[in-house]
């Protein structure tokens, strides 16, 4: 009898020991799964945020008509993801104007690339007027002159004379050329008092006629002298590289009508390997009222669309 009791006690101790070992293993495994799962989610979210960072960086170089970027940072971060935000502004004849930020969303499931980073609204009474969705500042427009306009297309604006008649104002105006021009030709045609802030590479007739702000182009000026209106072989080479990168990494993510915007950019880079051969379909010029008077009525301009027009200040 005593032997049976001792045997039962031993059996219970063995069972308890096994249960404790099993529970301990389960706790360790569960903890490992939680930690490993958390690290995996963080790794996937980090990859997504890195992709968004790359997207905002490359689009700031090629898809920001007369816009400059102040920063890029993570916001509203959680275990699942967050946002990448880039603050932007315009500089009009030395005066800065706040613009809508570029924002993309990311998570461990992937990214929602900012295909609406240049989102716009149409004017209520004038369908040819376009405004930035957040700041409600007017957006200067370009037009595809190779495309025959229809009755439903936005009317091509002719704002140059109106801007020139204003007094003590600074302005930006998008000039659409009748025919593509080289960089050297543009410099010869513009008065010295106007700055070619941004050069537009054009588009194809497969683009939507309501293309309002997702234009491809290069800012005038380099890191050493932003806003000068000048282009160099160095910054044009960097621009071509950015066009190719955008198509390689983000091709197909931004379309307007039947046009793959980034693919078109890569084709442009292939067609024009140097600044000397490159041709531009338009330019955004900035300056004060008197400078626009000097431009007169250029017969090489097909359309002129004003963006921001604001009072000139004495202190910049």
């Amino acid at each position: 009898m005593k032997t049976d009791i001792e045997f039962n006690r031993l059996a219970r101790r063995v069972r308890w020991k096994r249960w404790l070992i099993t529970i301990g293993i389960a706790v360790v495994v569960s903890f490992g799964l939680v930690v490993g799962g958390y690290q995996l989610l963080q790794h996937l979210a980090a990859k997504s945020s890195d992709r968004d960072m790359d997207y905002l960086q490359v689009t700031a170089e090629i898809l920001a008509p007369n816009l400059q970027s102040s920063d890029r940072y993570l916001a509203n971060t959680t275990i699942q993801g967050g946002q990448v935000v880039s603050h932007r502004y315009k500089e009009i004849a030395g005066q800065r104007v706040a613009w809508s930020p570029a924002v993309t969303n990311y998570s461990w499931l992937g990214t929602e690339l900012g295909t609406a980073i240049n989102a716009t609204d149409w004017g209520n009474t004038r369908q040819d007027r376009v405004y930035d969705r957040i700041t409600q500042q007017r957006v200067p427009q370009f037009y595809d002159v190779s495309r025959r306009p229809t009755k439903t297309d936005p009317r091509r604006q002719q704002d140059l004379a109106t801007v020139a008649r204003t007094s003590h104002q600074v302005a930006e105006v998008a000039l659409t050329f009748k025919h593509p021009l080289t960089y050297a030709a543009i410099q010869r045609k513009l008065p010295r008092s106007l700055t070619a802030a941004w050069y537009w590479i054009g588009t194809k007739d497969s683009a939507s006629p309501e293309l309002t702000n997702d234009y491809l182009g290069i800012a005038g000026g380099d890191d050493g002298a932003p806003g000068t209106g000048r282009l160099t072989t160095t910054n044009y080479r960097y621009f071509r590289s950015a066009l190719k990168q955008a198509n390689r990494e983000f091709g197909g993510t931004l379309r307007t009508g039947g046009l793959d915007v980034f693919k078109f950019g890569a084709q442009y880079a292939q067609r024009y390997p140097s600044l000397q051969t490159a041709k531009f379909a338009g330019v955004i010029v900035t300056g004060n009222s008197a400078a626009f008077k000097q431009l007169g009525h250029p017969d090489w301009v097909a359309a002129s669309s004003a963006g921001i027009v604001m009072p000139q200040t004495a202190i910049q």
Side-chain angles (χ1 to χ4, degrees):
M1 179 67 75
K2 184 176 181 181
T3 302
D4 291 341
I5 294 174
E6 291 176 351
F7 178 79
N8 289 334
R9 288 176 179 174
L10 178 61
R12 282 196 297 272
R13 283 198 298 268
V14 171
R15 284 197 299 271
W16 277 110
K17 186 177 181 180
R18 288 177 177 175
W19 273 108
L20 290 174
I21 292 173
T22 302
I23 292 173
I25 293 173
V27 169
V28 172
V29 171
S30 298
F31 180 77
L33 289 175
V34 170
V35 172
Y38 175 80
Q39 291 179 339
L40 177 61
L41 291 181
Q42 290 294 94
H43 173 72
L44 294 175
K47 287 186 64 176
S48 296
S49 67
D50 288 345
R51 178 172 167 81
D52 281 16
M53 285 282 190
D54 291 342
Y55 183 81
L56 291 188
Q57 179 179 358
V58 74
T59 52
E61 295 294 333
I62 65 173
L63 197 70
N66 198 26
L67 291 173
Q68 299 188 45
S69 175
S70 298
D71 53 26
R72 280 182 295 277
Y73 65 94
L74 301 181
N76 302 319
T77 56
T78 67
I79 185 176
Q80 295 180 337
Q83 293 179 316
V84 179
V85 180
S86 175
H87 288 106
R88 303 184 297 177
Y89 64 93
K90 290 196 172 192
E91 188 161 315
I92 313 295
Q95 299 180 204
R96 290 195 174 187
V97 182
W99 202 253
S100 61
V103 180
T104 62
N105 299 309
Y106 72 91
S107 73
W108 63 274
L109 291 173
T111 64
E112 296 178 13
L113 294 177
T115 53
I117 58 174
N118 289 329
T120 57
D121 291 331
W122 291 95
N124 293 328
T125 57
R126 295 288 297 275
Q127 290 301 307
D128 54 329
R129 297 293 188 250
V130 180
Y131 300 86
D132 177 65
R133 182 158 295 170
I134 293 181
T135 66
Q136 289 302 303
Q137 297 277 9
R138 266 192 64 180
V139 177
Q141 297 294 284
F142 289 110
Y143 305 91
D144 181 4
V145 295
S146 66
R147 184 180 186 276
R148 183 181 297 276
T150 67
K151 292 182 179 180
T152 59
D153 288 355
R155 184 178 62 86
R156 293 180 184 175
Q157 299 169 33
Q158 303 292 344
D159 295 332
L160 194 54
T162 302
V163 172
R165 286 195 297 268
T166 64
S167 299
H168 308 296
Q169 303 285 309
V170 294
E172 61 171 352
V173 178
L175 305 178
T176 301
F177 304 147
K178 289 183 178 179
H179 305 285
L181 299 174
T182 64
Y183 168 70
I186 296 170
Q187 296 304 304
R188 288 194 298 268
K189 291 178 179 296
L190 291 177
R192 291 181 178 273
S193 53
L194 283 178
T195 299
W198 197 81
Y199 298 79
W200 179 47
I201 69 171
T203 185
K204 294 173 65 175
D205 56 9
S206 56
S208 168
E210 296 180 354
L211 176 65
T212 58
N213 207 17
D214 288 324
Y215 303 118
L216 289 171
I218 178 173
D222 52 30
D223 292 338
T228 62
R230 295 192 297 269
L231 296 180
T232 66
T233 55
T234 299
N235 57 7
Y236 182 76
R237 182 167 60 248
Y238 184 81
F239 173 63
R240 290 184 66 242
S241 176
L243 288 174
K244 294 177 181 179
Q245 177 190 354
N247 183 55
R248 183 172 61 252
E249 298 182 8
F250 308 107
T253 61
L254 181 60
R255 292 181 176 275
T256 169
L259 177 68
D260 183 334
V261 175
F262 295 140
K263 182 179 179 181
F264 172 73
Q267 292 170 341
Y268 177 92
Q270 184 69 24
R271 183 178 182 183
Y272 298 112
S274 70
L275 177 60
Q276 289 70 31
T277 61
K279 290 187 176 182
F280 301 95
V283 66
I284 295 179
V285 294
T286 62
N288 57 36
S289 305
F292 282 99
K293 290 179 182 178
Q294 295 178 28
L295 191 56
H297 302 279
D299 57 5
W300 43 274
V301 171
S304 57
S305 171
I308 293 174
V309 180
M310 60 188 293
Q312 185 174 14
T313 60
I315 300 176
Q316 297 181 354

